[in-house]
Amino acid sequence: MSKIRVLADHVANQIAAGEVVERPASVAKELVENSIDAGATRITIEIEAGGRRLLKVSDDGEGMVRDDAILAFERHATSKIRETDDLDAIGTLGFRGEALASIASVAKVELTTCIEGAGAATRVAIDGGRMRDVKDAAHPRGTTIAVRDLFFNIPARRKFLRSEATETYHLTNLVTHYALAHPEIAFTFVNNGREVVRTAPAKDLRERAYQIFGEEFLKNLLEVDGGETGVARVSGFVSAPRDRRTSRDSQYLFVNRRFVRDRMIGRALSEAYRSILPYGVYPAALLFIETPLEEVDVNVHPAKTEVRFRRQAAVADAVREAVRAALASASYVSPPEPPTMIATAAVSSIAPQPRIEFVPPPPAPPPVPRPPVEPSGDEIARDLEIMLRSASRSVQSASLPPLNSAEKIAREVTPETISTNIRPLGQLDESFIIATDDQGLLLIDQHVAHERILFDKYRALEAERRTDAQQMLVPETFDLTPAQTAVFDDLLPELEKYGFELMRLSGRTVAIRAVPADLPGSEARNMLFELLETVDAEKKSAAPETMRDEIAASLACHAAIKVNMPLAPEKMRWLIDRLLQTSSPTTCPHGRPVILRLSTRDILKGFHRI
Ligand code: ADP
Ligand code: MG
């Protein structure tokens, strides 16, 4: 007897729903995308009980005629593509034609829709994939879809839903994403009858970001505008290096206005911060990548949150260079080195693309941007508050000193506020140089200052292919762990570029015969060990540039003068002069501040003189 049978449609739809409908936020995503594809200028999202009980999306888009409203719920029913060839250049957010079918198979759905000039609207009701009712209704031009009792017919899936607060958080996040990607659309988000987000149509991303995150968030961002037409235009905002997050949660990445989670773009972004942010610490970003439609395959993932670029490496370069240029224009890094000049020239010769425009912030803030938040304990309000606040708050990784601890009295000196006229006075705790400049009293961390100097020196030597090595009188040896051997073999050629001479003796024993200049022989073993420990799989696959930075940073750290070390006045002078000549005198290669300033003004204030 044969054993194979073709699954009934409703079973197939439920299986497809497993991929498309993960949680209420994924339903909202599909519905909002449909509204955007329908040309809506106004989208309202209403939820109850974290979207489980009700999730309703209304728009003023083009609507559907009755036949379409019924057909829309069939699997593979779409108005957006016709032929396979259409997949090569997808200009709409949807195209798979399975979202409505999937959603309707796992919930109770009511769709009401009306096209311009039609006598009556159509209402279609479907429960768990079964059509219940089709009738006339009243509705202005546009579409409203109400999804009730998600997973009512699949208890197993319902159990996987998280708390109302969590689901609401995901929904809020989703609305935020789409609102950012589409400033021209007015978004309203209502939770349990209360309006939590209402944004008027905005003229550009900056205004929309202002509406959503507020002024504080924008103030600290650097504008990105670069890339190359034909490959990838890159625009948006990134955070300054002093703003640090411990996860990628504050990175909003969009490809042709589609919100994506893309590791490649995330990595390119991190590489732009190489040498100013340590690994494991992430910048915040709102990055919009615009590519020609045929350059990107969006049909990779059922939920369409991943994309594949035809010229992956070129896109990564564009992102990295555009972000790097933004950092360079704020003097956080030096402008790109000669080998990348070609890319930069191409970038700067391109006129900004009209689709996303950035203008200076409006003199008077646009009205009503902040969502009304009541302290009454309503979970969504709290959630949203937390989310919006975390967007503008820096989170420090455990190894970094608390960012704001000294801020009230002494502030981090930034590239904009550094002065070239620094005069050392002495040392505090044999660890910090006390100095003055035109604006006040300075504290310079001697270790990180020297780290920055050495880092730049090692990188320059390596780039010029000059090594400056010192032979060890007695070669030191050390043993690799099995896991380290593979990493070691990969690292060896890079280490040699810096002047290391390392020899694998028998088995896993390594002899250190020469080390880069400035690195005390006694530190070589520690440094190599640490490096081998920290270079994990992700970093191994990172760009060679990043790898080289990692080595230079590690070398600099081990070769730099330590804290608790007395310095002669000449040595302090030398440190300061050299520091000022580096690419980034205000941040060390690991992203820490180098100089703190107590301003004369604050001193005067402290003594009640002003
Ligand atoms: P897809 O978006 O991939 O085409 P869906 O299942 O999401 O598939 O939607 C099926 C079709 O229903 C769409 O192609 C579109 O024609 C129509 N549709 C869905 N939502 C709306 C809406 N809000 N306004 C107008 N038409 C819509
Ligand atoms: Mg769709």
Side-chain angles (χ1 to χ4, degrees):
M1 204 171 87
S2 69
K3 58 182 181 183
I4 299 178
R5 74 196 99 227
V6 173
L7 294 175
D9 262 359
H10 72 276
V11 182
N13 281 336
Q14 283 192 1
I15 292 172
E19 293 173 319
V20 181
V21 185
E22 187 195 338
R23 60 184 347 148
S26 32
V27 175
K29 172 182 184 293
E30 294 297 336
L31 300 183
V32 169
E33 288 191 346
N34 280 346
S35 295
I36 295 170
D37 283 345
T41 64
R42 226 169 359 87
I43 300 177
T44 303
I45 300 105
E46 285 176 67
I47 63 163
E48 281 172 22
R52 261 192 252 207
R53 187 158 66 225
L54 172 71
L55 203 161
K56 188 156 109 184
V57 176
S58 325
D59 66 54
D60 63 350
E62 63 184 5
M64 285 177 266
V65 298
R66 175 164 296 195
D67 286 352
D68 282 348
I70 296 166
L71 209 57
F73 289 98
E74 292 291 323
R75 200 141 65 100
H76 307 308
T78 180
S79 56
K80 299 169 194 175
I81 58 170
R82 281 177 190 280
E83 310 284 344
T84 324
D85 285 352
D86 295 341
L87 283 175
D88 295 342
I90 292 170
T92 49
L93 293 168
F95 57 88
R96 299 173 63 100
E98 58 183 7
L100 289 185
S102 302
I103 295 165
S105 74
V106 295
K108 300 173 183 167
V109 176
E110 207 175 72
L111 170 138
T112 314
T113 184
C114 189
I115 59 161
E116 185 82 57
T122 302
R123 172 163 304 160
V124 179
I126 294 190
D127 289 354
R130 274 175 245 281
M131 187 81 64
R132 292 262 173 252
D133 196 19
V134 180
K135 61 179 179 210
D136 279 355
H139 194 281
R141 178 194 129 122
T143 304
T144 297
I145 302 192
V147 177
R148 290 191 171 81
D149 300 333
L150 185 63
F151 298 136
F152 78 99
N153 53 351
I154 314 184
R157 297 294 301 279
R158 204 168 52 221
K159 267 192 273 175
F160 276 101
L161 288 179
R162 310 286 292 277
S163 69
E164 172 172 349
T166 305
E167 297 302 342
T168 305
Y169 170 81
H170 287 289
L171 281 156
T172 313
N173 231 333
L174 177 108
V175 176
T176 311
H177 279 127
Y178 280 86
L180 285 168
H182 298 273
E184 72 287 357
I185 299 177
F187 280 87
T188 307
F189 181 44
V190 180
N191 176 43
N192 292 333
R194 177 130 39 109
E195 207 171 81
V196 266
V197 175
R198 173 184 280 276
T199 58
K203 66 172 179 304
D204 53 27
L205 170 66
R206 179 182 280 276
E207 190 179 319
R208 178 51 57 89
Y210 180 92
Q211 292 173 331
I212 295 175
F213 297 117
E215 197 180 355
E216 210 27 50
F217 178 73
L218 271 186
K219 213 173 59 192
N220 294 319
L221 293 184
L222 310 173
E223 194 173 317
V224 179
D225 187 9
E228 214 180 312
T229 317
V231 180
R233 291 265 322 138
V234 183
S235 56
F237 297 96
V238 293
S239 57
R242 61 175 174 277
D243 224 355
R244 300 165 196 136
R245 319 288 152 115
T246 48
S247 77
R248 291 192 190 274
D249 285 357
S250 307
Q251 297 183 353
Y252 299 86
L253 310 176
F254 301 84
V255 173
N256 294 340
R257 304 256 203 140
R258 181 190 299 279
F259 169 61
V260 296
R261 286 190 204 92
D262 192 282
R263 287 185 50 142
M264 186 277 288
I265 301 173
R267 202 180 300 150
L269 178 63
S270 289
E271 278 171 13
Y273 283 79
R274 66 170 194 267
S275 85
I276 49 175
L277 271 193
Y279 269 104
V281 175
Y282 304 94
L286 290 178
L287 273 192
F288 290 84
I289 295 155
E290 302 272 332
T291 69
L293 295 178
E294 60 279 6
E295 286 289 316
V296 51
D297 184 0
V298 291
N299 189 21
V300 182
H301 188 266
K304 298 163 291 180
T305 46
E306 286 169 23
V307 293
R308 201 174 290 138
F309 295 100
R310 203 164 65 83
R311 287 184 276 174
Q312 182 102 345
V315 174
D317 287 350
V319 171
R320 196 182 54 238
E321 292 311 319
V323 174
R324 199 81 181 158
L327 290 166
S329 70
S331 309
Y332 283 108
V333 295
S334 41
E337 299 135 16
T340 45
M341 275 311 199
I342 312 136
T344 332
V347 168
S348 51
S349 66
I350 287 154
Q353 196 169 315
R355 235 175 127 184
I356 299 168
E357 278 178 4
F358 300 103
V359 292
V368 229
R370 300 323 296 269
V373 174
E374 278 182 26
S376 68
D378 187 1
E379 281 179 323
I380 161 71
R382 232 182 14 232
D383 251 21
L384 183 63
E385 243 314 84
I386 290 165
M387 190 196 103
L388 296 180
R389 244 191 286 123
S390 73
S392 53
R393 182 191 58 196
S394 357
V395 180
Q396 307 103 31
S397 82
S399 64
L400 294 169
L403 277 178
N404 296 326
S405 55
E407 201 174 82
K408 289 207 176 57
I409 3 137
R411 276 171 241 279
E412 243 177 70
V413 172
T414 60
E416 309 89 61
T417 59
I418 194 166
S419 126
T420 48
N421 188 18
I422 302 179
R423 297 170 298 272
L425 302 176
Q427 243 178 327
L428 174 68
D429 273 354
E430 302 188 331
S431 302
F432 306 100
I433 300 173
I434 304 170
T436 58
D437 69 358
D438 309 333
Q439 300 163 57
L441 189 68
L442 303 175
L443 285 175
I444 303 169
D445 184 322
Q446 64 193 41
H447 173 69
V448 296
H450 197 205
E451 249 186 344
R452 167 51 72 190
I453 297 166
L454 289 172
F455 175 83
D456 277 32
K457 177 183 145 182
Y458 286 128
R459 285 304 275 127
L461 285 175
E462 189 277 326
E464 291 160 21
R465 312 231 178 289
R466 283 194 292 128
T467 48
D468 194 358
Q470 44 185 355
Q471 297 295 320
M472 303 275 273
L473 285 177
V474 185
E476 284 218 32
T477 60
F478 68 96
D479 293 328
L480 298 166
T481 65
Q484 285 171 341
T485 50
V487 183
F488 179 82
D489 291 339
D490 284 348
L491 271 179
L492 188 57
E494 297 297 337
L495 289 168
E496 283 170 346
K497 290 191 181 124
Y498 282 98
F500 273 107
E501 234 176 82
L502 302 167
M503 222 175 79
R504 275 286 277 281
L505 303 175
S506 62
R508 298 200 297 264
T509 306
V510 175
I512 311 173
R513 304 216 315 213
V515 297
D518 291 321
L519 182 72
S522 55
E523 284 283 342
R525 192 173 16 187
N526 284 344
M527 183 236 147
L528 288 171
F529 239 79
E530 239 177 68
L531 196 65
L532 289 168
E533 282 299 301
T534 51
V535 176
D536 59 21
E538 190 191 344
K539 288 175 213 167
K540 248 171 51 189
S541 63
E545 283 292 291
T546 309
M547 208 50 261
R548 279 169 215 155
D549 278 354
E550 188 76 5
I551 298 174
S554 176
L555 267 173
C557 181
H558 284 269
I561 45 173
K562 304 276 181 282
V563 291
N564 296 317
M565 192 190 214
L567 296 181
E570 309 77 64
K571 183 78 182 189
M572 291 188 235
R573 181 73 269 158
W574 175 88
L575 256 181
I576 292 169
D577 289 344
R578 290 292 308 274
L579 177 67
L580 290 174
Q581 291 161 21
T582 60
S583 59
S584 181
T586 57
T587 22
C588 90
H590 293 107
R592 283 189 293 222
V594 180
I595 314 174
L596 295 179
R597 182 190 288 119
L598 174 58
S599 71
T600 312
R601 205 186 141 70
D602 284 340
I603 295 175
L604 288 172
K605 264 204 224 143
F607 286 117
H608 296 241
R609 288 184 170 274
I610 51 170

